[in-house]
Amino acid sequence: MNLRIKEINHVALYVADVAQSCHFYSNILQMNQLSRPDFDFPGAWFQIGSHQELHLIGIRTEQVISGSRSNHFALEVEDLSAWEQHLKANQAIYRPPKPRPDGLLQLFVKDPDGYWIELFSRA
């Protein structure tokens, strides 16, 4: 039997304010919003890359625990310097770029709920 996982399909995050999170993921992280099925709870879906998605679930009541060495997800970007300029211009909360142990540059940006998202570039 040859079992294998093809790819990650989506990441789901609990958020407290769907509209505020949609603004962040649309305008700060430049993600395209997708149509979403008519669930019985608030939320939003966004495109990540070519096949992956981010699903926001608007029923967060607990505190978020997230950090660069705990719960987070990473997005590969083409030009980390351009992203840093964009984050700075939009007054986003982020940690400046630093090299990872594998030599790639990374930075972390914080969303409205307190989730830290890694942006990294191979270039």
Side-chain angles (χ1 to χ4, degrees):
M1 184 181 284
N2 184 15
L3 302 175
R4 74 177 193 93
I5 296 171
K6 290 172 54 174
E7 65 184 8
I8 189 167
N9 176 264
H10 68 272
V11 172
L13 298 177
Y14 280 135
V15 300
D17 183 327
V18 174
Q20 185 179 33
S21 293
C22 284
H23 174 78
F24 176 84
Y25 287 98
S26 292
N27 296 304
I28 304 302
L29 288 189
Q30 301 288 301
M31 291 182 180
N32 292 322
Q33 191 165 354
L34 302 169
S35 61
R36 176 181 175 265
D38 189 20
F39 292 110
D40 62 353
F41 57 89
W45 288 7
F46 290 88
Q47 186 74 43
I48 301 175
S50 56
H51 295 89
Q52 294 80 32
E53 299 174 1
L54 171 65
H55 294 182
L56 303 179
I57 302 170
I59 55 175
R60 183 178 71 76
T61 56
E62 299 86 20
Q63 178 182 348
V64 168
I65 299 172
S66 179
S68 60
R69 292 189 177 170
S70 65
N71 298 326
H72 73 277
F73 64 96
L75 303 171
E76 183 175 355
V77 299
E78 290 182 355
D79 183 343
L80 197 62
S81 295
W83 274 97
E84 183 181 19
Q85 291 172 13
H86 170 74
L87 296 174
K88 193 178 294 186
N90 284 278
Q91 299 177 342
I93 298 169
Y94 75 97
R95 295 180 186 150
K98 67 176 189 173
R100 293 191 329 197
D102 61 4
L104 300 180
L105 278 179
Q106 68 180 166
L107 65 75
F108 284 84
V109 60
K110 191 175 191 181
D111 88 346
D113 285 274
Y115 293 107
W116 286 96
I117 301 144
E118 178 182 345
L119 303 181
F120 76 94
S121 176
R122 294 183 193 278

